[in-house]
């Protein structure tokens, strides 16, 4: 990767437009070479349709899920991309989104907003800054909402995808999109018609999607010649105008402008090493510059945004250096499509092939047929067509339900669906009420509001079930295929709840025609039965989840409220409220009793879905027999008298001290159905498993610690003589040191503001690190790593911004902590601390002259601050030399 050693830190994050010999400003007048790198950032929706949350995905370990893993490898690194010198020190931190053209799928942006608000805001800020730099034209473009293949969508779905994509974009970036990314670049002329009708100015396609082009006819040249370019021959260095098909006069012909990215370079970005070195990357782009003396040309490349950091580790640094130094050094202007289009009205028109996409050589058959694209050796793709047919059938059935039932509640059902994105973006009760008031046919009663929202959710899932990833890979039972079937299942369930229609049998009949490559499934119908049906969630399961977890929450309610949520008209009563994913749990009564090793809780609960507003009141009982054994029963609430009788009988049964008798009474009162720890939602089940194991693990840790102490001399003798230590003693040492290290780290976190205690903990950690080194033990403590990263940032912030603290103590403490982190060798990342320090250095210190800096700060303190920068791997040599 190209070194930035020669860069002074003060310009490390500034783009330099130089080398252009023209007297014109290329940002305002079309002149010279422009470069656009487009990143298509996208993750498929992964949430459980019943919980509106992503559950743990083991394949993404050590991260919670694939979104989180790819965020760590790609999205955050690109928002804070480093430029390094030859010593690996930071000389610049670049927001790559400020210089690259990009689209980020709405489902991904929604996740980012909740997971890492700093990165989310950096992306929004990048678009704003690019608008300022490029005459009001931002880098961000929109995307069709949930990545469906537009040529395969119904006309109505095409428009909803565009409208939802635009609305989502507008809510985040505060402006209308000029361009829109089509999923897989899938396009046909009906799709273009919808884009034009919705005000989209341009799209980006692959060069293989063009059929022929010519100069736009003029009075001087009314019959310009068409050039066939169907074999990737189109010149991608200019924009093209594509006129819609139909009977129009020349002055009325609707059109959309199209950029064709450079195919060979874009392909190399994904499948070769061109993006590992910025000078190599620039050279590759330079080779695409046309030497025909045209006034202006654009070299545009496009690839999956996840290429930079996730697929190709560290290449976000290549982009950062290329954007800010390499490209400008060649005299090129870094721009985006909208800005270039504002300076270069297309003079050429293009006609497209009938139906195409960028990742299928057979039109869009990859998403509807056994075309061979995306297959695996020895596996067929015969399941694709039946899957598409089954979902098309279901979509049409759901349309009938929606039109029939929706006309009862909405003045215009399809307008309500198109505007439903407003609710998806903000599910607050006040916003949902406002939405219903705007679109209702008449004043809706509470039950009608629930059905209206169910219908809209049914349509949302009807769109989500066409997410392109379900067909992209080699097998229907992959997570992507299973996910779209989960959306279909939820849509059918909602249709049944509103209209009483049973669609599952007909849907399974179609799936039975979709053969799987895996024997245990045989067909898509069995994939549905084995992988989809078990993931469905009922109100009873939510209540059981609440009941069992209530035993471990210290029964500390979030807040006490008066009245029910979401416009319930029942009389006010006092209740406790807690959140269980997208359900609000209103606890109306709760009693907990312990008798020996048994614990019994009985309660009255009202659950309300934040999505559909449907609600149920439940009576629950849960018996904890100790350890991992739970027995929970749920039934609908049947009145206060019945509830009181149930509670009295259960509490009386518990007094006999017999678990068997108590369970028998529970069965008599609730029926045979019961729930255990296994029935909890995965996240909470894992938390309770760790909690229930803690006491046992603590005893084990203490036993191994004693074994380690008793045999310390023996173990050291083996290592001193270079002999392999007995694995039993080595394992005991590893467990004992990790346990001791975690106890010390937790104590340090608790006592961090206590001068002597925190110092003692640091000394202890150094001793642990020294022992681990001598015994050749590598400590593996993910929780400890997180504690140290968090403490480093916290202590650095206090040093830099807490004017009331003691500078000498604070800087010694943070320096000692960094030294300890290095010694423990836990793989600590100091990136966030590095970013905090870098921003302070460039915002508070370096803008001033050295004389001003020394005047404002004690010279010795300034030297210590700069020395700290060295520990954080930030290049501060220039300023240290100035002080000496």
């Amino acid at each position: 990767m190209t070194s930035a050693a020669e860069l002074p830190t003060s310009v490390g994050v500034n783009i330099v437009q130089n080398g252009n010999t023209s007297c014109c400003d290329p940002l305002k007048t079309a002149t010279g070479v422009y470069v656009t790198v487009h990143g298509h950032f996208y993750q498929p929706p992964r949430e459980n349709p019943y919980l509106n949350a992503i559950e743990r995905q083991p394949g993404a370990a050590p991260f919670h899920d694939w979104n989180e893993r790819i965020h760590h490898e790609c999205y955050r690194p690109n928002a804070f991309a480093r430029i390094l010198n030859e010593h690996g020190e930071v000389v610049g931190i670049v927001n790559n989104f400020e210089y690259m053209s990009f689209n980020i799928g709405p489902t991904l942006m929604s996740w980012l907003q909740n997971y890492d608000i700093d990165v989310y805001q950096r992306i929004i800020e990048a678009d704003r800054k690019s608008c300022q730099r490029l005459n009001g034209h931002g880098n961000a473009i929109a995307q069709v909402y949930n990545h469906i293949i537009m040529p395969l969508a119904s006309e109505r779905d095409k428009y909803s995808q565009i409208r939802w994509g635009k609305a989502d974009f507008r809510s985040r970036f505060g402006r209308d999109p000029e361009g829109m990314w089509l999923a897989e670049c899938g396009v046909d002329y009906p799709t273009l018609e919808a884009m034009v009708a919705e005000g989209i100015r341009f799209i980006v396609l692959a060069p293989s999607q063009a059929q022929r082009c010519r100069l736009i006819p003029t009075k001087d040249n009314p019959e310009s010649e068409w050039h066939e370019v169907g074999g990737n021959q189109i010149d991608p260095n200019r924009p093209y105008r594509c006129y819609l098909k139909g009977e129009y006069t020349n002055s009325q012909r609707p059109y959309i402008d199209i950029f064709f990215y450079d195919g060979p370079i874009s392909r190399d970005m994904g499948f070769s090493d061109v993006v590992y070195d910025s000078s190599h990357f620039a050279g590759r782009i330079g080779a695409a510059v046309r030497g025909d003396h045209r006034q202006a040309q654009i070299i545009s490349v496009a690839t999956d945004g996840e290429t930079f950091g996730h697929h190709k580790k560290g290449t976000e640094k290549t982009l950062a250096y290329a954007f800010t130094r390499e490209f400008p050094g060649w005299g090129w202007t870094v721009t985006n499509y909208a800005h270039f289009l504002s300076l270069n009205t297309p003079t050429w028109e293009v006609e497209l092939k009938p139906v195409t996409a960028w990742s299928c050589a057979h039109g869009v058959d990859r998403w509807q047929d056994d075309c061979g694209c995306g297959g695996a050796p020895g596996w067929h793709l015969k399941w694709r067509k039946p899957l598409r047919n089954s979902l098309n059938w279901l979509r049409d059935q759901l349309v009938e339900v929606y039109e029939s039932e929706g006309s009862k509640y909405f003045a215009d059902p399809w307008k309500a669906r198109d505007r439903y994105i407003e609710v998806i973006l903000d599910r607050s009760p006040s916003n949902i009420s406002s939405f219903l008031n705007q679109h209702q046919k008449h004043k809706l009663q509470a039950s009608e509001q629930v059905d209206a929202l169910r219908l809209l959710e049914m349509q949302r899932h009807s769109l989500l079930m066409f997410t392109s990833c379900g067909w992209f890979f080699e097998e229907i039972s992959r997570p992507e295929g299973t996910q779209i079937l989960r959306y279909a299942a939820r849509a059918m369930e909602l249709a049944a709840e509103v209209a009483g229609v049973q669609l599952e049998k007909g849907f399974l009949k179609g799936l039975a025609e979709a053969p799987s490559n895996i024997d245990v499934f045989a067909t898509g119908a069995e994939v549905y039965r084995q992988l989809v049906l078990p993931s469905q969630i009922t109100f009873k399961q939510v209540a059981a989840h609440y009941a069992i977890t209530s035993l471990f929450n210290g029964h500390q309610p979030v807040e006490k409220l008066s009245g029910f949520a979401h416009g319930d008209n029942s009389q006010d009563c006092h209740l406790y409220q807690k959140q269980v994913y997208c359900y609000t749990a209103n606890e109306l009564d709760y009693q907990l009793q312990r008798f020996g090793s048994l614990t019994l809780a009985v309660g009255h609960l009202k659950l309300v879905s934040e999505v559909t507003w449907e609600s149920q009141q439940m009576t629950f009982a849960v018996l904890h027999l100790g350890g991992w054994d739970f027995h929970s029963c749920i039934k609908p609430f049947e009145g206060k008298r019945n509830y009181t009788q149930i509670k009295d009988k259960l509490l009386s049964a518990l007094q006999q001290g017999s678990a068997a008798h108590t369970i028998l009474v529970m069965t008599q009162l609730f029926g045979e159905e019961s729930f255990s720890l296994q029935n909890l939602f995965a996240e909470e089940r894992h938390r309770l498993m760790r909690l229930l194991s803690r006491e046992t693990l603590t005893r084990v840790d203490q036993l191994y610690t004693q074994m380690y102490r008793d045999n310390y001399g023996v173990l050291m003798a083996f290592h001193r003589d270079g002999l392999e230590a007995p694995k039993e003693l080595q394992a005991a040492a590893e467990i004992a040191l990790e346990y001791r290290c975690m106890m010390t780290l937790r104590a340090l976190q608790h006592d961090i503001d206590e001068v002597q205690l925190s110092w003692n903990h640091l000394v202890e950690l150094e001793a642990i690190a020294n022992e681990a080194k001598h015994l050749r033990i590598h400590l593996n403590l993910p929780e400890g790593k997180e504690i140290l990263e968090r403490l480093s940032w916290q202590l650095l912030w206090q040093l830099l911004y807490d004017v009331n603290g003691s500078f000498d103590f604070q800087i010694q403490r943070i320096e000692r902590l960094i030294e300890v982190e290095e010694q423990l060798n836990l793989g600590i990342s100091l990136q966030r601390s590095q970013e905090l320090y870098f921003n302070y250095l460039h915002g508070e210190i370096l803008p001033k002259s050295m004389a001003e800096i020394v005047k404002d700060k004690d010279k010795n303190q300034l030297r210590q601050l700069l020395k700290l920068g060295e520990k954080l791997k930030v290049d501060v040599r220039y300023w240290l030399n100035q002080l000496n």
Side-chain angles (χ1 to χ4, degrees), residues 447-510:
S447 62
E448 292 178 311
Q449 290 179 336
V450 169
D451 278 345
L453 291 171
R454 281 171 170 163
L455 285 168
L456 290 165
E457 273 298 291
M458 178 190 78
Q459 280 299 307
R460 182 172 76 92
H461 285 87
S462 176
L463 291 171
L464 291 173
M465 70 188 188
F466 285 107
T467 301
S468 68
C469 315
W471 288 268
F472 193 80
F473 299 101
E474 72 280 1
E475 167 57 20
I476 189 174
S477 63
R478 277 181 56 107
E480 299 84 3
T482 303
Q483 183 70 14
I484 64 172
L485 291 177
R486 293 169 90 186
Y487 291 131
R490 180 59 176 151
M492 288 187 287
E493 183 179 81
L494 289 163
E497 290 171 349
V498 175
V501 296
Q502 301 300 320
L503 300 174
E504 192 172 68
K505 184 176 180 180
F507 184 62
L508 286 174
K509 183 179 179 180

Side-chain angles (χ1 to χ4, degrees), residues 834-851:
Q834 200 176 61
E835 290 155 11
L836 179 65
Y837 180 90
F838 190 88
N839 289 337
Y840 179 83
L841 184 70
H842 286 263
E844 304 293 331
I845 296 180
L846 300 188
K848 304 174 184 178
S849 68
M850 187 56 66

Side-chain angles (χ1 to χ4, degrees), residues 174 188 329 407 604 708 725 800:
D188 60 0
S407 61
H604 172 202
Y708 170 58
L800 299 177

Side-chain angles (χ1 to χ4, degrees), residues 219-237:
K219 288 183 179 180
D220 296 332
N221 184 18
E223 300 295 334
S224 58
E225 181 183 358
W226 284 103
H227 303 275
E228 294 297 324
V229 292
N232 291 295
Q233 302 101 323
I234 196 164
D235 178 359
N237 293 24

Side-chain angles (χ1 to χ4, degrees), residues 21-301:
T21 58
S22 170
C23 61
C24 300
D25 180 354
L27 296 180
K28 296 180 180 179
T29 304
T31 180
V33 175
Y34 296 76
V35 176
T36 295
V37 177
H38 183 85
H40 164 51
F41 293 90
Y42 166 73
Q43 290 301 309
R46 292 190 166 100
E47 76 282 358
N48 182 316
Y50 294 85
L51 302 177
N52 269 8
I54 300 175
E55 297 171 293
R56 184 173 295 278
Q57 297 177 305
F63 299 93
H64 177 273
D65 54 69
W66 280 103
N67 280 19
E68 191 175 303
R69 176 170 177 168
I70 296 170
H71 171 268
H72 175 81
E73 296 170 349
C74 173
Y75 307 134
R76 195 167 211 289
N78 275 285
F80 297 92
R82 270 53 172 180
I83 295 178
L84 307 177
N85 63 18
E86 73 274 19
H87 306 290
E89 297 170 327
V90 176
V91 299
I93 295 180
V94 176
N95 186 349
N96 280 344
F97 295 101
E98 190 177 333
Y99 302 109
M100 72 190 309
S101 170
F102 66 89
N103 70 280
I104 301 183
T107 51
L108 175 57
M109 278 296 273
S110 177
W111 179 86
L112 273 173
Q113 187 176 15
N114 293 319
Y115 180 76
D116 191 336
I117 192 63
D118 290 340
V119 169
Y120 177 83
Q121 289 175 342
R122 289 274 285 186
I123 292 169
I124 302 300
E125 179 187 31
D127 182 70
R128 180 180 56 79
K129 287 186 174 180
S130 64
C131 278
Q132 294 171 351
R133 182 171 61 89
L134 300 173
N135 307 331
H137 302 284
N139 286 343
I141 66 173
Q143 178 196 291
V144 292
Y145 185 74
N146 64 277
H147 216 263
I148 73 171
I149 303 303
M150 293 289 274
L152 297 176
S154 68
E155 181 179 8
R156 187 176 284 118
D157 287 357
K158 280 183 173 71
Y159 278 90
S160 290
Q161 285 286 318
I162 297 168
R163 289 166 183 167
W164 282 22
K166 284 183 62 178
D168 185 275
F169 184 95
R170 191 184 304 114
S171 74
R172 301 182 191 285
F173 295 100
R175 63 180 181 86
D176 283 324
E178 297 183 77
M180 180 168 277
W181 184 265
L182 292 165
E184 304 293 337
C185 293
V187 70
D188 60 0
Y189 275 91
T191 297
L192 295 183
E193 290 174 12
M195 304 284 273
V196 171
E198 293 303 311
I200 300 301
R201 291 188 58 206
F202 71 86
I203 58 173
V204 183
L205 296 178
S208 61
Q209 295 176 272
Q211 181 64 57
R212 62 178 186 165
C213 64
R214 67 172 178 174
L215 280 166
I216 296 175
T218 62
K219 288 183 179 180
D220 296 332
N221 184 18
E223 300 295 334
S224 58
E225 181 183 358
W226 284 103
H227 303 275
E228 294 297 324
V229 292
N232 291 295
Q233 302 101 323
I234 196 164
D235 178 359
N237 293 24
R238 60 165 65 98
Y240 293 83
R241 183 147 291 174
C242 183
Y243 292 98
L244 301 186
K245 304 288 188 179
E247 299 296 327
Y248 303 102
T249 64
N250 285 342
S251 60
Q252 294 176 331
R253 294 170 69 195
Y255 63 83
I256 190 168
D257 293 332
I258 300 178
F259 288 89
F260 295 94
Y261 61 77
D262 187 293
I265 302 177
S266 299
R267 188 164 47 252
D268 285 351
M269 289 166 65
F271 300 101
S272 79
D273 61 357
V274 69
V275 290
Y276 283 108
D277 184 284
S278 61
S279 63
H280 185 192
F281 187 32
R284 188 73 178 81
I285 287 177
V289 175
R290 304 275 173 152
D292 52 9
H293 306 295
R294 63 185 74 180
Q295 182 177 343
Q297 59 182 300
I298 182 171
I299 313 299
S300 88
V301 293

Side-chain angles (χ1 to χ4, degrees), residues 81 91 267 286 420-421 441 455 474 479 492 509 511 538 630 632 657 691 696 703 714 772 795 806 827 834 848:
V91 299
R267 188 164 47 252
Y420 187 56
I421 182 64
K441 192 171 186 178
L455 285 168
E474 72 280 1
M492 288 187 287
K509 183 179 179 180
L511 285 182
T538 64
F630 296 85
S632 178
L691 187 64
T696 299
L703 285 171
V714 175
L795 297 185
S806 164
Q834 200 176 61
K848 304 174 184 178

